[in-house]
Every structure is written in C-alpha cells, then in structure tokens.
Amino acid sequence: MDYYPADLLDFICNFNFYGIFAVGSKNINLEMQIKVFKFGGASVKDANGFKNVGEILKLYQQDKLIVVVSAMGKTTNALEEVVKSYYAQDGKVNNLLEEIKNNHFDLINQLFPANNEVTDDINDTFVEIEWILEEPPHEDYDYTYDQIVSIGEMLSSKILNHYLNYLKINTAWMDVRDIILTDNTYRDAKIIWDVTQKNAQNKTKPLFEKYNHLVTQGFIGSTTENFTTTLGREGSDYTAAIMSYCLDASSMHIWKDVPGVLTGDPRIFDEVIMLPRLSYKEAIEMTYYGAKVIHPKTIKPLQNKQIPLYVRPFLDPKSEGTIISDEKELSYPPVIVIEPDQSLLHISTNDFSFAAEHHLSMIFALLAKCRLKVNMMRNTAISFSVCVNTVPDRIKKFEKELGSEFKMVADNDLELITIRHFNEDVLKDMKENKLVLFEERLSETVQIVVRNLPKMKRKDNPNV
Ligand code: ASP
Ligand code: MG
C-alpha cells in the first residue's frame, strides 16, 4: 500500500488546486498555505495536555495554522449540569460553577507564573455566565444552554493562546463567532455558508499578516443578532472542517488520544489495528454508523474541496496517523462500531391497518420532532420497528404523540453492533452470548441489535 508522508500529500493536493481550480483567482490558498489543527477536550484536559500542544506547535512554527480547540476535558458536561441546575432552581448551581472555575484556575496556576494577566481574563469570561445565572431562567432552554455551555471553548482557547504567547509562539486569539454565522437552531445550529466563507477570508487575512497561528474555538457560532449558538455535541471537528473549507486549507489535522482511526474502540476490544488510509466515503460510512473518532459532519466539507484529513496521535506528533482522502481502491479489514444504550420500539395500530403510507410518514415526522435518531428500522404488514438511541424523555414524548390509534412496545438495554467489511467469523464472535433481536445485511455492512445474555452455568450441586 502506498503511504505518502503528510507533507508530500499536502503538496500533491495543492498542486491540483493550482493546476485545476485556482489559476488566476484571488483564492487565499494561492497566497498562503493554511493548515487547520484541532485539539479536542482530551488533548487539553490538564496542564500536561497544554504543554503537549505547545510542543506540537513548536514543530510547526513556520506554518500558517488555524488552531481550533475544544473545552478542557469534561467541561462541557459540567456546564450542561450548570444549565440543568439553573433551570431546576435546586440551589446547586453556584457550587457546580465553582468547581469549573477551580479547575480552570488550578490549570492557570500550573501553567503560568504568579501574578499573571490570564487570571483576570478568565475571571471576566466567567462573569458573562454569572450575569445570566443571576436572572430567572429564559423560557427557551436551548438558547440559554448555548449562551452558557459555549463558555467552555472561550475559556480553553483564551488559556491556550496566553500559554502559546508565554512560550513565545507567534499566535493571536480569534473569536470564531465573528466568522461562523448560523441560523438560530440552538444546540444544533446550521451554518450560513456564504457569509461564513467571506468572514473567514476577511477576518483571517490581516491576522495572518502578523501572526502565524490563530487560536480559536470549536463547537460554537453566532446568529445575525450576535447570540451564541452551538453546533451539536462534539462539534469541534466540524468547526475545523468549516474553517478548512472556507480557507481552502491544504490539510486538516485532528490530534487525538489514539494512534489514528482504529478497527474498533480500544476500550472495548483487544487487538485493534490502525487504518493507515481511508477514503472519504468509508469515513462517512463509519461515522454514520456511530464511530466516535470523527464528528459525522466533518468529512463532507473536506471531500467537497479534496482537503486531506489526518487523524493523528497527540502523544506522537511525528506519526501521521490515518490519512483520509479521495482514495478509491482500498481494501479494509473488518471494522466494528458498538452503540450501547439502544431501544427497539415496536409500533402497531390498534386496528391492524398499518400498511397505509400515511402512517409511516407520520411516524417519521414524529421521530424527527422528538429528535430520536433512527439507527435501523423494519416494517411489516401490520407493524413498524425502529432502533433508536435510548433517550427516555424523548421516547416518552414520542409515545404520547403517537396517540391512541397506535400501540408501542419498547425493548430497552440493547446494543447495536455494526460490522463494516464483515466476515462470518467476526460476526459469529460478535453474537456470542447475545440474543439477536434484529439483523440486517448489506453488501459491506451487517448490523445486529442484541441483548447481552448472562452466561448460564450448571450448578455443581443442583437443588432438585
Ligand atoms: N466541547 C464540546 C463537547 O464536548 C465540543 C467538542 O468537544 O467537540 O461536546
Ligand atoms: Mg469535548
């Protein structure tokens, strides 16, 4: 298998840009080569993480980089708890916020000498949510969620920028909300691409004249009224892809706590191997089926502009990890994706009159309305079964909305196992000690919905 070093592949991709698309245009890519780096929460979970980011960036001092960063470690989860507690008015909100503050100030103490300016900057950032929390909760939960939860990325990007300046790396902090314009679907905002693209070019160009690296936030954007939005959980990869697309980046690099894209989750499986190369199509399929290594929306913008994506280990910056590009004829070993917490909903009508199409379209409309993600489905003459992520309040709402015409029975505590490029041996292994409730085979993919069965063992002294 051919294996291009990162920079050679960069060169080949840019060569195509020059030759095919960009001749004579004022495309920013002609003037400078921009790479987009993304560091997730796990890469910046503590002082060592920030130091490691500094070490990686030292290797790229001459490059023009957009550095997209997520909130530190589990900060987003902690901020979600703040929002919940604020709405519940359960008196816990101050303690929850205090803990988040302590984590950030502890980090600052570890990274910077005493009497630094960083503490004030971070304090000011926290004040923004303290103001919100002093008022009674706004009626729109999702709107408030975005105003509060987005602080996580503001904090981490500010600390990272201060830290890189402290290391004398030539960086500037950039507010991504001046670039990424979205609609007002809070918690799942949609990008307004044409404005975002113009903003990206106009905003970064003068900064890149002075600085080599621009540090900015993943996951967030802004509406035309300047309210903050978020792009959906784990959305920082998507931010990096948006920036890559809008700036015609030569490559995008996601730095992770794994060697690259693996054939399975190393926390669940032994003997996983790294896939050195993947096509965009394969990456889209894998993320669609729930592989958590990259956010599912990430690939499309990159594929549109043929920008290669590297998934690289942050503990081994010399390694290229996995290269995702427009490779066609690759063959893959079996890749397994496990989605826990699944429910199978069996829906039928009380009068056995299912087949009518309007029933199905109504059920789909309700699934969308209740934000239930359909992972697998099947319909028979009189019933319809669908496998969804178990989100109890959404399932309850769905059942209620179905109304009295329908009956719904739910099987819970299930797992959805997807095997791409399966073979019978692997499939057999996956079924061991499991009850298979649902199985579907396509040419390259098999999916099974299973319940774990306890292994029954005969007693040595049966009591009969
Ligand atoms: N901090 C956000 C989250 O945890 C976005 C991200 O990490 O990509 O969901
Ligand atoms: Mg995160």
Side-chain angles (χ1 to χ4, degrees):
M1 195 184 288
D2 281 340
Y3 193 74
Y4 294 112
D7 290 333
L8 179 60
L9 197 79
D10 258 355
F11 172 77
I12 293 168
C13 292
N14 290 314
F15 186 77
N16 282 336
F17 269 119
Y18 282 83
I20 300 169
F21 302 113
V23 177
S25 85
K26 277 267 186 297
N27 194 313
I28 197 163
N29 192 49
L30 278 180
E31 290 144 37
M32 38 182 152
Q33 298 287 293
I34 294 166
K35 291 187 173 81
V36 176
F37 280 13
K38 181 257 172 174
F39 293 96
S43 318
V44 291
K45 69 177 195 303
D46 53 19
N48 281 338
F50 277 80
K51 288 178 187 165
N52 189 49
V53 174
E55 291 302 314
I56 293 175
L57 293 184
K58 276 186 198 159
L59 302 172
Y60 289 89
Q61 295 226 40
Q62 302 314 318
D63 290 85
K64 297 289 180 198
L65 297 183
I66 300 277
V67 179
V68 174
V69 65
S70 302
M72 269 178 74
K74 301 271 175 242
T75 303
T76 306
N77 292 357
L79 286 163
E80 283 189 339
E81 294 306 314
V82 167
V83 181
K84 274 190 206 149
S85 161
Y86 171 49
Y87 272 81
Q89 296 279 308
D90 59 7
K92 294 190 192 137
V93 75
N94 288 335
N95 286 345
L96 291 169
L97 186 63
E98 212 44 45
E99 207 176 314
I100 299 174
K101 281 178 148 185
N102 289 341
N103 284 342
H104 285 80
F105 289 122
D106 284 350
L107 172 79
I108 293 170
N109 289 337
Q110 289 173 54
L111 289 178
F112 302 95
N115 295 329
N116 54 70
E117 53 179 16
V118 188
T119 307
D120 284 346
D121 194 7
I122 295 308
N123 248 328
D124 291 347
T125 311
F126 275 115
V127 168
E128 287 174 37
I129 48 177
E130 282 163 351
W131 278 342
I132 302 176
L133 298 177
E134 275 166 21
E135 301 290 323
H138 185 279
E139 60 182 33
D140 185 344
Y141 186 96
D142 290 351
Y143 159 82
T144 308
Y145 174 104
D146 281 4
Q147 310 318 304
I148 292 176
V149 168
S150 54
I151 289 288
E153 270 67 14
M154 298 303 282
L155 296 164
S156 60
S157 62
K158 286 183 180 185
I159 297 173
L160 180 60
N161 186 59
H162 282 294
Y163 181 64
L164 296 173
N165 286 337
Y166 171 67
L167 296 181
K168 308 241 169 334
I169 299 179
N170 179 21
T171 63
W173 182 82
M174 188 170 74
D175 191 335
V176 84
R177 296 171 301 181
D178 295 336
I179 295 178
I180 296 185
L181 188 77
T182 70
D183 69 2
N184 61 1
T185 317
Y186 294 104
R187 296 180 72 175
D188 190 21
K190 305 289 173 295
I191 309 301
I192 300 171
W193 282 95
D194 51 347
V195 184
T196 299
Q197 175 143 18
K198 265 190 221 121
N199 289 345
Q201 307 242 353
N202 296 342
K203 174 94 190 175
T204 56
K205 217 172 158 179
L207 287 171
F208 272 134
E209 277 160 21
K210 287 208 230 131
Y211 302 95
N212 274 353
H213 303 348
L214 307 180
V215 176
T216 199
Q217 309 78 45
F219 181 52
I220 68 177
S222 165
T223 65
T224 36
E225 295 91 32
N226 285 327
F227 292 122
T228 304
T229 49
T230 64
L231 310 180
R233 286 301 308 266
E234 308 303 330
S236 298
D237 293 347
Y238 185 38
T239 303
I242 296 164
M243 296 302 283
S244 300
Y245 178 94
C246 291
L247 295 171
D248 288 325
S250 59
S251 56
M252 172 172 151
H253 305 242
I254 297 181
W255 296 89
K256 290 199 72 95
D257 55 355
V258 285
V261 179
L262 304 172
T263 49
D265 184 337
R267 291 167 306 180
I268 303 177
F269 296 105
D270 289 326
E271 317 273 339
V272 293
I273 55 167
M274 205 241 320
L275 298 158
R277 316 196 60 153
L278 280 180
S279 66
Y280 292 120
K281 176 177 170 284
E282 185 58 31
I284 287 175
E285 296 275 8
M286 279 175 64
T287 54
Y288 170 79
Y289 288 121
K292 299 280 181 298
V293 61
I294 319 162
H295 189 278
K297 287 185 184 165
T298 310
I299 305 295
K300 197 75 203 136
L302 301 177
Q303 183 191 21
N304 279 353
K305 291 213 177 173
Q306 300 285 302
I307 300 167
L309 168 62
Y310 296 83
V311 179
R312 304 177 64 174
F314 65 67
L315 291 177
D316 182 12
K318 294 256 155 52
S319 160
E320 278 141 4
T322 299
I323 306 170
I324 301 169
S325 63
D326 203 11
E327 193 71 46
K328 300 242 158 40
E329 294 183 16
L330 293 172
S331 56
Y332 302 99
V335 174
I336 304 171
V337 181
I338 303 222
E339 290 247 55
D341 303 324
Q342 300 292 303
S343 295
L344 209 48
L345 312 179
H346 307 279
I347 302 152
S348 53
T349 50
N350 289 327
D351 63 357
F352 294 110
S353 67
F354 204 86
E357 265 171 28
H358 79 273
H359 280 150
L360 279 184
S361 56
M362 189 201 118
I363 288 171
F364 279 114
L366 284 183
L367 286 164
K369 182 174 171 198
C370 301
R371 290 167 76 176
L372 284 170
K373 182 172 174 271
V374 176
N375 294 327
M376 236 171 121
M377 61 193 167
R378 174 179 300 165
N379 62 315
T380 69
I382 52 160
S383 77
F384 176 73
S385 300
V386 59
C387 175
V388 298
N389 297 349
T390 308
V391 189
D393 51 328
R394 294 185 192 172
I395 293 177
K396 235 185 246 150
K397 181 173 171 202
F398 174 71
E399 186 174 9
K400 208 164 141 216
E401 298 254 350
L402 276 174
S404 55
E405 204 187 333
F406 294 93
K407 196 169 84 199
M408 187 187 100
V409 179
D411 271 320
N412 295 313
D413 300 318
L414 306 177
E415 227 173 39
L416 171 65
I417 303 177
T418 305
I419 314 169
R420 296 272 301 154
H421 317 290
F422 65 99
N423 60 45
E424 295 304 325
D425 284 349
V426 177
L427 183 56
K428 196 166 143 247
D429 281 354
M430 286 302 116
K431 289 181 177 174
E432 203 177 60
N433 295 327
K434 309 245 189 291
L435 178 70
V436 178
L437 288 103
F438 221 50
E439 173 164 343
E440 185 173 78
R441 287 176 185 235
L442 301 168
S443 63
E444 283 170 281
T445 310
V446 58
Q447 291 194 287
I448 51 178
V449 178
V450 299
R451 187 192 298 291
N452 286 317
L453 293 178
K455 208 171 186 167
M456 286 202 286
K457 210 172 145 247
R458 285 192 88 130
K459 291 187 178 184
D460 292 336
N461 303 308
N463 190 12
V464 281

